[in-house]
C-alpha cells in the first residue's frame, strides 16, 4: 500500500487525540514529550478532553512560541506547577502506602471522608466559592492569545449541562474557564459557566472527540493517547471499584462509538469525497499502557511529583515502543484494530 500524499518530504502529517484522567494525564505528558523528539511528525490538529485538553493547550502554546523544545519545557513547567499546588493538599498517600510503593490514596482518611461526603453533599455545599487552583496555573502557563493564532488546530470538548451535548471549543475560544469546564467533574467542582451555559467534564460527550479531526483536518492519521482502560480484568466488588469502573466505561463510551463508526465506514463506505469517505480513510493508532489498569480512581487526585514523573516516564516508554514498532506504518495503514471494537458481544 502506497503512503498518502500527506507523507511527503520525509514528514508525516498526524492528529493527536488526548484523553482526560486527572493526574493520569502525566502519562500523556510523557507521550507528547517523546513524540516531540521526532521532527518528521508534523502535528496538524489536537483534540483533547480534561487533562488531555490542558496538555494539548500547553503543547500548542509552546510550539507556537518556538517549536518542539519550548513545547516540551512548557509541559514540564505545567506539571511542576500542578505538583507544587498540591503540596498542601489533604489528598496524600498514607505512610504505609508510601512504604509499600503504592500510588493509591484509597486508604487516606481524608480521601475516604471526602469520598463519602461527595455522595451526600454537592460542590456547591463543600466549595461554595468555586475555588480551583488550576485556574491560576492555566492563566500563568498558557498565552491564550498565542494559542488563538497558533498553526496547530486545537479542539477542546466540554459537556453542556442543560442539553447533555458536547461543545467543541476551538483555538480562539480557549480561556482558563474553557479548560476547567472540560475537566469539571460535577461531584468535585461547580459547573463552569461559559456564554450563559453551564458545562461539565467533556468526557461525558467525547473523551476525546474524533469528529473535528475528521471534519477540519486533512491528516488521515490520528494517534490516540489513552489513559482510561477499555478492558479491565475481573469483576469489581467493592463500592469504590464499582464506581471507578462505571466512570471508565462511561468516559470511554463516546470515543468507542466514534471508533466503531470508523470501522463500519471502512467496510461499507464508497470511495469519493463525502464525509463518510473521510471517516473511512482515517487511520487510527493508539499509545497506551497496562500500568493504567493497575491505577484506580483515587490516584487521579495524586499530584505527588514522584508519581507524575513515574507516569511521564511510562508515557515516554510507551511512545518509544510505539515508534519502534510502527514508524513505517504511519501514513500507510492503521495500527489499531478499530474493527474489533465493532464486534459487540
Amino acid at each position: 500500500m502506497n503512503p498518502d500524499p500527506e507523507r511527503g518530504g520525509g514528514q508525516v502529517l498526524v492528529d493527536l487525540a488526548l484523553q482526560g484522567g486527572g493526574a493520569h494525564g502525566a502519562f500523556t505528558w510523557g507521550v507528547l514529550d517523546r513524540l516531540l523528539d521526532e521532527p518528521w511528525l508534523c502535528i496538524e490538529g489536537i483534540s483533547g478532553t480534561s487533562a488531555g485538553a490542558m496538555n494539548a493547550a500547553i503543547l500548542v502554546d509552546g510550539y507556537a512560541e518556538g517549536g518542539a523544545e519550548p513545547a516540551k519545557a512548557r509541559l514540564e513547567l505545567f506539571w511542576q506547577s500542578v505538583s507544587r499546588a498540591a503540596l498542601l493538599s489533604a489528598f496524600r498517600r498514607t505512610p504505609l502506602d508510601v512504604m509499600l510503593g503504592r500510588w493509591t490514596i484509597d486508604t487516606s482518611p481524608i480521601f475516604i471522608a471526602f469520598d463519602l461526603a461527595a455522595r451526600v453533599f454537592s460542590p456547591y455545599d463543600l466549595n461554595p466559592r468555586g475555588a480551583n487552583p488550576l485556574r491560576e496555573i492555566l492563566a500563568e502557563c498558557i498565552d491564550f492569545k498565542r494559542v488563538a493564532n497558533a498553526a496547530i488546530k486545537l479542539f477542546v470538548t466540554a459537556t453542556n449541562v442543560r442539553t447533555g451535548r458536547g461543545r467543541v471549543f476551538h483555538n480562539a475560544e480557549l480561556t482558563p474557564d474553557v479548560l476547567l469546564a472540560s475537566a469539571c467533574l460535577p461531584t468535585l467542582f461547580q459547573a463552569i459557566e461559559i456564554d450563559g451555559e453551564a458545562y461539565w467534564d467533556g468526557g461525558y460527550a467525547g473523551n476525546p472527540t474524533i469528529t473535528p479531526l475528521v471534519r477540519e483536518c486533512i491528516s488521515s492519521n490520528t494517534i490516540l493517547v489513552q489513559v482510561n482502560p477499555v478492558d479491565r480484568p475481573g469483576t469489581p466488588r467493592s463500592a469504590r471499584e464499582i464506581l471507578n469502573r462505571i466512570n471508565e466505561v462511561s468516559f470511554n463510551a463516546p470515543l468507542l462509538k466514534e471508533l466503531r463508526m470508523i470501522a463500519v465506514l471502512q467496510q461499507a463506505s464508497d470511495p469519493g469525497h463525502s464525509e463518510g469517505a473521510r471517516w473511512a480513510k482515517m487511520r487510527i493508532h493508539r499509545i497506551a499502557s497496562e500500568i493504567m489498569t493497575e491505577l484506580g480512581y483515587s490516584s487521579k487526585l495524586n499530584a505527588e511529583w514522584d508519581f507524575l514523573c513515574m507516569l511521564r516516564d511510562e508515557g515516554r516508554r510507551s511512545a518509544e515502543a510505539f515508534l519502534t514498532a510502527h514508524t513505517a506504518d504511519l501514513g500507510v495503514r492503521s495500527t489499531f484494530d478499530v474493527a474489533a471494537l465493532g464486534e459487540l458481544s
Side-chain angles (χ1 to χ4, degrees):
M1 182 182 296
N2 293 323
D4 274 1
E6 65 202 53
R7 181 163 188 161
Q11 287 195 319
V12 181
L13 196 63
V14 299
D15 297 324
L16 302 177
L18 311 181
Q19 280 199 323
H24 293 185
F27 171 83
T28 301
W29 163 31
V31 171
L32 298 177
D33 191 71
R34 178 62 187 88
L35 294 181
L36 286 167
D37 288 337
E38 302 296 331
W40 57 274
L41 285 175
C42 183
I43 302 171
E44 181 189 9
I46 309 177
S47 179
T49 297
S50 191
M54 295 179 190
N55 276 319
I58 294 288
L59 184 152
V60 169
D61 181 30
Y63 209 91
E65 179 186 16
E69 290 307 314
K72 288 162 64 77
R74 283 184 170 272
L75 282 165
E76 180 167 4
L77 176 62
F78 169 73
W79 285 101
Q80 285 177 338
S81 298
V82 169
S83 184
R84 282 196 298 268
L87 287 175
L88 299 179
S89 171
F91 297 139
R92 310 289 295 181
R93 288 186 294 162
T94 65
L96 180 60
D97 288 327
V98 173
M99 184 177 67
L100 295 177
R102 299 187 303 214
W103 297 112
T104 181
I105 57 174
D106 281 352
T107 58
S108 163
I110 299 297
F111 174 76
I112 293 172
F114 183 86
D115 190 38
L116 292 173
R119 304 181 196 189
V120 179
F121 303 100
S122 84
Y124 296 86
D125 300 317
L126 300 176
N127 183 13
R129 296 179 60 188
N132 190 327
L134 275 176
R135 180 177 279 106
E136 292 183 5
I137 293 174
L138 292 168
E140 292 174 358
C141 291
I142 302 174
D143 184 334
F144 287 92
K145 291 183 179 179
R146 186 160 53 209
V147 169
N149 298 300
I152 298 176
K153 299 174 184 177
L154 185 53
F155 311 102
V156 171
T157 302
T159 303
N160 186 301
V161 178
R162 178 178 60 85
T163 66
R165 298 176 61 185
R167 174 178 172 182
V168 177
F169 295 85
H170 297 65
N171 296 56
E173 300 173 294
L174 293 190
T175 64
D177 275 352
V178 168
L179 294 177
L180 290 179
S182 184
C184 180
L185 290 172
T187 57
L188 296 180
F189 301 106
Q190 294 185 21
I192 303 296
E193 186 171 311
I194 301 170
D195 300 332
E197 294 278 5
Y199 288 91
W200 282 341
D201 196 295
Y204 298 111
N207 192 23
T209 304
I210 303 295
T211 300
L213 299 177
V214 175
R215 291 180 173 175
E216 302 185 41
C217 297
I218 65 172
S219 168
S220 297
N221 298 279
T222 294
I223 300 176
L224 167 65
V225 183
Q226 194 164 26
V227 299
N228 293 300
V230 173
D231 296 318
R232 183 178 285 278
T235 301
R237 297 188 180 277
S238 72
R240 186 172 292 118
E241 289 174 342
I242 292 170
L243 288 173
N244 178 53
R245 189 57 183 152
I246 288 172
N247 285 331
E248 289 178 345
V249 170
S250 61
F251 275 16
N252 276 325
L255 171 65
L256 294 180
K257 183 178 180 180
E258 288 185 307
L259 293 178
R260 288 186 183 113
M261 181 170 64
I262 290 174
V264 170
L265 289 171
Q266 285 175 341
Q267 297 173 20
S269 179
D270 292 329
H273 299 288
S274 67
E275 182 172 328
R278 289 181 58 81
W279 279 92
K281 185 183 176 184
M282 184 63 68
R283 307 181 189 94
I284 302 296
H285 314 273
R286 183 180 70 158
I287 300 176
S289 170
E290 288 298 317
I291 283 182
M292 308 313 289
T293 64
E294 302 172 9
L295 301 173
Y297 163 75
S298 70
S299 64
K300 293 180 179 181
L301 302 177
N302 183 357
E304 294 177 50
W305 183 241
D306 287 346
F307 180 52
L308 300 181
C309 288
M310 183 279 289
L311 289 172
R312 176 203 61 196
D313 294 345
E314 179 61 19
R316 280 192 60 90
R317 187 202 65 76
S318 299
E320 177 67 33
F322 170 81
L323 291 170
T324 299
H326 298 301
T327 289
D329 296 319
L330 284 165
V332 178
R333 61 181 66 83
S334 288
T335 60
F336 180 51
D337 184 11
V338 294
L341 297 174
E343 299 171 1
L344 301 179
S345 57

